[in-house]
Amino acid sequence: CVPISRTLAAEAVVSTQSTGIKELLDTRIRPTVMEDGGDIRFVAFEDGIVKLALQGSCSGCPSSSVTLKNGIENMMQFYIPEVISVEAVDDEITELQQKVFDDLESKLDNDDGKNK
């Protein structure tokens, strides 16, 4: 059993690190990403891994994985040593957008087959 005070202290450290990650994203990373028509959103910081959602032109861009590892991950590790890696994840908004797109595409395919 882990003492409650130790658990709370660990949560406070993660919270402080998450705040630093968000600040770094907002001040140094997002402005550059937005210049290229994309956006990046903080999802979580767990076990040294920063999870980010890529949006806009970054979503699905072949260069995004290089940007994520060579640019964002290196900067995060430089300013926040507790960061082990950075990963792109789908968030609820991206998943919902994909579902709506898939439903529309399916409907268009079905309508196209009826009109032939």
Side-chain angles (χ1 to χ4, degrees), residues 19-36 39-40 52 67 71-72 74-80:
T19 300
I21 290 166
K22 290 175 188 177
E23 184 178 321
L24 185 59
L25 279 171
D26 288 343
T27 59
R28 295 187 176 254
I29 298 169
R30 283 187 76 218
T32 304
V33 171
M34 292 175 95
E35 285 177 5
D36 290 329
D39 201 0
I40 194 161
L52 304 172
T67 300
I72 298 170
N74 288 342
M75 185 179 288
M76 287 280 177
Q77 290 172 334
F78 180 80
Y79 287 102
I80 304 166

Side-chain angles (χ1 to χ4, degrees), residues 39-108:
D39 201 0
I40 194 161
R41 193 175 64 77
F42 176 81
V43 175
F45 179 61
E46 300 168 345
D47 301 321
I49 300 170
V50 177
K51 297 180 181 184
L52 304 172
L54 303 176
Q55 300 172 328
S57 65
C58 291
S59 180
C61 172
S63 300
S64 65
S65 61
V66 174
T67 300
L68 197 65
K69 289 294 177 187
N70 293 341
I72 298 170
E73 184 174 275
N74 288 342
M75 185 179 288
M76 287 280 177
Q77 290 172 334
F78 180 80
Y79 287 102
I80 304 166
E82 296 83 7
V83 171
I84 297 168
S85 71
V86 175
E87 295 178 357
V89 297
D90 286 339
D91 61 351
E92 291 176 13
I93 295 169
T94 305
E95 290 173 1
L96 180 60
Q97 289 171 336
Q98 187 63 47
K99 182 183 180 326
V100 169
F101 177 79
D102 291 343
D103 290 347
L104 178 61
E105 188 174 48
S106 176
K107 182 175 177 4
L108 291 173

